[in-house]
Each structure stands twice: as C-alpha cells, then as structure tokens.
Amino acid sequence: MQNKIKVIIIDDEALARQITKNYLSKRDDIEIIAECSNGFDAIKKINELKPDLIFLDIQMPKLTGFEMLELIENPPVIIFTTAYDHFAIKAFEVNAIDYLLKPFSEERFNSALQKAIGQLGDRFKQNSAIENIIKTTDEKIEFLERVVIKDGSKITVIPVEEIKWIEAQDDYVLINCDKGRFLKQKTMKYFETHLNENQFVRVHRSYIINVDFIQHLEQTETESYRLVLKNGKEIPVSKTGLQRLKNTL
C-alpha cells in the first residue's frame, strides 16, 4: 500500500485516545489525521477528512458510536474500542472489522489493525473475532435512550421519554413528539424491540404508543378498541395490541 492509512481516533476518554495513539505511533504506514472526544465532532471530521479507518468508542455522552454511524454516509472501516462486550452483536450488524474490549493489549490491538489493513480493499467482510465474542456473550437487547434524526445538516436528538407515538410509513417510521414529526428509516419491529416494553407498546401493526401519553381507552364496536392520547390523537388498537396493552398496564 503506497499511501498511508488515514486514521481518526474517537473516544471521550483522553487516556484511551493516548493509548491508541501510542500503539499507532510505531507504524510508519499509519497517519492519524484527527482525534475526537465526541460523536458530533467526529461526524464533522469524518465528512471533511474522509479517513480510511476509525477507532470508535461506543459509550460516549450526547451521541453514542452507533448513533454517530447512523448519521454518516459511506462510513470508513471501523474498529470498535469499548469496555462492554454486550455491544458485539450490534457491532457485527454495522459491519465492524473488529471489536476491542478495554483494556486491550498491544498484541490484540495489532491483530485488529492488521485485519483492517488487509480488508481495506475488500471492506465489510464477516468478522470472526466479533463472531467469537458473540458466541460467548448472552444476547442482550439494549433499550434506546434517545433517537437521533438527521435532516440535511440538522441533527435532532429526541429522548425516548418525549416520544408520544410512532407510526409506520412504508420503509420509514414517523416519530411524533413535542418537537415535531420526524421520519426515520427504521422498521416498526426495530422500535418494538429496542424500546422499553414497560413504557412503549405496539398496539397496532402501524402504531407504537408511549403509555405515559394515554388519556383513555374506549370500545368503539364489539371487540374493537381505540386509544385516545392526551392531545386528542386517536389510535386504533388491534386484538393483539389490546392484550399487550393489558399486560403492560
């Protein structure tokens, strides 16, 4: 490879960034073009500098590593660096090259780096290291704490407790809250799985509601129900949805 590999280090911990820099300093085929302590800065740097490879922490304030990736078109090769093994499945889903669990040795770091270098010309192959972690990790669903929406250059962060209801819109969902209505390219199934079932219930194939915003439930016809939210919005309730609602309430 004639040109140096352009790298950005993204981690909110200065010590973690320094360790990564120390490991990379021994390589003459690597150029660190930026380091970022938060996801918003990282998005800007990635779009401006077009790195080949990023070392990305997952748990960061304001914007997690996964949320950040949702907002980037054509992301570079990714090596996750994290203290938590239960994100391995999701890392696999976003095609990470490797998943380094902190604290990681220089030997393990170099192994991940070599893998990234080897696959820069053939990106996003399945990764055996991540699969091995998945095999030894109980599958845990991490509930969302917020939803990030990108509209042009504007990024809106919506805490999930502010979401009133979600509607299916073909390949998108429409998220309704006091800040407005926001389209996001995700499935209803995704939100049904990743929102806390004690707060959000899928009451109809096209609707997920926040139980905190229910005004009342009323019967319209025999065995047919609808929800009325506190703002007057009426939501149809299926038989399955009614049972889910009863289980939650």
Side-chain angles (χ1 to χ4, degrees), residues 8 10 53-57 76-82 95-100 104 108-117 130:
I8 292 181
I10 306 160
L53 169 65
I54 58 174
F55 289 88
L56 177 60
D57 189 17
V77 173
I78 306 158
I79 295 177
F80 280 112
T81 58
T82 177
N95 298 311
I97 288 295
D98 211 336
Y99 188 96
L100 292 174
F104 44 81
R108 178 69 183 88
F109 178 88
N110 286 332
S111 173
L113 180 59
Q114 283 304 123
K115 198 176 302 177
I117 292 171
I130 292 175

Side-chain angles (χ1 to χ4, degrees), residues 6 8 33-34 36 40-51 72:
K6 297 184 294 182
I8 292 181
I33 56 174
C36 306
F40 289 109
D41 187 31
I43 292 171
K44 181 180 177 183
K45 293 295 185 184
I46 290 171
N47 288 335
E48 286 178 356
L49 302 175
K50 310 293 184 191
I72 297 174

Side-chain angles (χ1 to χ4, degrees), residues 62-103:
K62 297 183 181 180
L63 207 61
T64 70
F66 291 124
E67 291 169 340
M68 193 203 81
L69 290 175
E70 285 189 43
L71 303 174
I72 297 174
E73 294 181 3
N74 302 316
V77 173
I78 306 158
I79 295 177
F80 280 112
T81 58
T82 177
Y84 305 95
D85 66 357
H86 55 270
F87 293 117
I89 294 173
K90 194 166 183 179
F92 180 74
E93 292 173 349
V94 297
N95 298 311
I97 288 295
D98 211 336
Y99 188 96
L100 292 174
L101 282 173
K102 299 176 183 175

